[in-house]
Amino acid sequence: MSKAIDIKVPDIGDFSDVPVIEIFVKPGDTVKAEDPLVSLESDKATMDVPAPCGGVVESIAVKLGDKVSEGSVILLLATGDATAAATATDPAAAPAAPAAAAAATAPAQATASGSIDEAAFALAYAGPAVRKLARELGVDLGKLKGSGDHGRIVRADVEAFAKGGGAAAAPAAGKAAAAPAGGGVGGIDLLPWPKVDFAKFGPTERKELSRIKKISAANLHRNWVVIPHVTTHDEADITELEPFRVQMNKELEKSGVKISMLPFMMKAAVATLKKFPEFNASLDGDALVLKNYWHIGFAADTPNGLMVPVIRDVDRKTVPEIAKEMGELAKLARDGKLKPDQMSGGTFTISSLGGIGGIYFTPIINAPEVAIMGVCKSYWKQHSSDGKTYTSRLALPLSLSWDHRVIDGAAAARFNVHFANVLADLRRMLF
Ligand code: CAO
């Protein structure tokens, strides 16, 4: 039976009274679940509100410039399913994608549009729905001038550009191969993505990427393309720290908090960031914004994909407090219940694969941060300082990726040495 339901603004984190900057639908339009309905823009983020279910738009309750908050009605949607009403107003069922994560909601899959400048595309001022449309039409956002407020690119700009023949055309096969040596700089003139009928070679099944995977893929792709990454590897000697950690876990057994190496690394990160403030910063045009707060994100592996919850004010928390909060945030992440404000405001990230394995890897910087620490599994090794006598030491592999626009190699090496020294002897935190 058909039923009309109010579609409301879902949980949008700390934001309220956010202006509606774009309305993508009109009465009579048919929408599918996840289709963008309106775009909101705060001073910090642009976010689309997606349809929680399919239906036909009956009426629109907002106009451009209206200020909305969580719970504000956006439109009335006629659905064919009465049960949809329950999910329509459930923020968890239809979370708005915050711009930090949704700068490109469309998966950053390589399209046939070989002449799209991915770096310029990533930096263009446009919301997630407009980016998605641009991908679909093969329009290079970097080439557009926006007609929205402050030069924002709106849907109509993309459509007009595509109609005017401005869509990026797929390069003829072999074009890149035939390009003169040294050509394609800036335009990243790549071969089109190979299109293969995999079923020709054996049985296959198609599995759509989860929403989180799509968002993180687009972000990781942008960060990888835009930031000149370098990774510096080192090791921390945790021979003394490990038995201390085990002992503290015994003493805290009754509290129910279990401390892994990660909370110690968070504290070591803060001590090191305080010594090297340009690592606790973000690029803003030609300036560096140094932050006098230390909110540390950690990569959490969840069934739906990678998420980065943030622990605020790590400098003011004890190791057990950090461990407890980390456990709670990791559980929320795994249950798909993290709120946008629990994933924002990070100043530095730690990605630990220590519970799994590996020796080194190259973590991708979590923009707009400028560095990330990757950690792998500790291992015993023989160490000698004179080449004659050897002792067994427990080594923790560290992989620091840094933005070469902001940081140079010497600073990165010093950062790693200090980080490792703090873990080797926590008393160094006092200096
Ligand atoms: N060396 C050796 N052992 C380690 C270790 C290290 N560096 N780090 C953790 N361990 C041990 C822990 O002590 C624990 O041992 P016990 O089971 O004997 O107590 C075990 O490994 C499992 O640890 P954990 O993973 O549960 O805990 P954590 O605090 O280290 O990590 C969390 C928590 C949420 C970060 C983790 O579960 C996770 O999701 N890791 C994956 C992150 C990821 O995917 N990163 C890649 C991002 S880049 O694509």
Side-chain angles (χ1 to χ4, degrees), residues 220 238 242 245 249 258-263 265 298-302 305-309 323 326-327 329-331 333-334 350-357 361-364 372 375-379 394-397:
L220 291 165
I238 55 164
E242 178 56 14
R245 183 186 75 83
N249 270 329
K258 202 170 141 204
I259 300 168
S260 69
M261 202 42 82
L262 200 45
M265 286 189 275
F298 64 98
D301 183 26
T302 81
L306 178 68
M307 307 205 73
V308 185
M326 212 162 69
L329 288 170
K331 180 168 185 330
R334 289 190 184 116
I350 302 182
S351 176
S352 173
L353 294 174
I356 304 167
F361 68 114
T362 52
I364 297 181
I372 179 169
V375 182
C376 283
K377 200 175 179 68
S378 55
Y379 68 100
L394 188 58
L396 182 72

Side-chain angles (χ1 to χ4, degrees), residues 276-293:
F276 299 89
E278 73 272 28
F279 287 75
N280 198 57
S282 287
L283 256 185
D284 184 17
D286 288 339
L288 199 57
V289 180
L290 300 160
K291 296 159 201 168
N292 290 326
Y293 52 87

Side-chain angles (χ1 to χ4, degrees), residues 158-167:
V158 175
E159 284 164 352
F161 191 82
K163 270 195 199 131

Side-chain angles (χ1 to χ4, degrees), residues 103-144:
T105 297
Q109 79 242 16
T111 63
S113 51
S115 54
I116 285 189
D117 178 344
E118 291 295 343
F121 191 101
L123 293 172
Y125 181 26
V130 171
R131 288 175 182 281
K132 185 162 181 269
L133 179 70
R135 289 272 177 210
E136 283 162 10
L137 299 179
V139 168
D140 185 350
L141 283 182
K143 297 201 175 95
L144 263 71

Side-chain angles (χ1 to χ4, degrees), residues 21-302:
I21 55 160
E22 201 160 1
I23 300 173
F24 301 113
V25 290
K26 53 185 184 322
D29 281 358
T30 300
V31 295
K32 299 189 299 298
E34 295 289 305
D35 278 355
L37 302 173
V38 297
S39 198
L40 314 176
E41 187 175 64
S42 73
D43 52 347
K44 293 202 192 91
T46 305
M47 53 214 130
D48 284 351
V49 176
C53 56
V56 176
V57 177
E58 286 211 339
S59 60
I60 313 267
V62 289
K63 53 184 188 322
L64 288 182
D66 278 2
K67 297 207 166 148
V68 295
S69 305
E70 181 180 343
S72 305
V73 176
I74 304 164
L75 53 80
L76 193 64
L77 190 72
T79 70
D81 175 7
T83 56
T87 53
T89 52
D90 175 1
T105 297
Q109 79 242 16
T111 63
S113 51
S115 54
I116 285 189
D117 178 344
E118 291 295 343
F121 191 101
L123 293 172
Y125 181 26
V130 171
R131 288 175 182 281
K132 185 162 181 269
L133 179 70
R135 289 272 177 210
E136 283 162 10
L137 299 179
V139 168
D140 185 350
L141 283 182
K143 297 201 175 95
L144 263 71
K145 279 219 167 347
S147 63
D149 279 354
H150 311 296
R152 192 171 41 80
I153 301 169
V154 298
R155 219 178 156 82
D157 298 329
V158 175
E159 284 164 352
F161 191 82
K163 270 195 199 131
K175 180 180 166 217
V185 175
I188 315 182
D189 203 358
L190 302 175
L191 280 173
W193 195 253
K195 239 190 157 355
V196 178
D197 176 10
F198 301 108
K200 270 198 335 209
F201 304 104
T204 61
E205 63 180 282
R206 193 177 167 82
K207 192 174 158 202
E208 291 305 321
L209 291 179
S210 71
R211 191 176 134 72
I212 306 245
K213 269 231 159 89
K214 285 188 205 167
I215 293 174
S216 63
N219 276 276
L220 291 165
H221 189 202
R222 179 201 54 206
N223 299 349
W224 183 249
V225 169
V226 174
I227 303 172
H229 280 71
V230 185
T231 306
T232 308
H233 304 288
D234 209 332
E235 276 178 356
D237 183 337
I238 55 164
T239 317
E240 317 295 332
L241 179 56
E242 178 56 14
F244 175 67
R245 183 186 75 83
V246 172
Q247 174 61 29
M248 292 319 288
N249 270 329
K250 274 192 197 132
E251 289 182 22
L252 291 165
E253 209 167 351
K254 286 204 182 92
S255 72
V257 178
K258 202 170 141 204
I259 300 168
S260 69
M261 202 42 82
L262 200 45
F264 288 103
M265 286 189 275
M266 292 226 164
K267 290 302 270 187
V270 172
T272 314
L273 290 167
K274 286 190 172 179
K275 262 225 154 27
F276 299 89
E278 73 272 28
F279 287 75
N280 198 57
S282 287
L283 256 185
D284 184 17
D286 288 339
L288 199 57
V289 180
L290 300 160
K291 296 159 201 168
N292 290 326
Y293 52 87
W294 293 270
H295 301 339
I296 312 293
F298 64 98
D301 183 26
T302 81

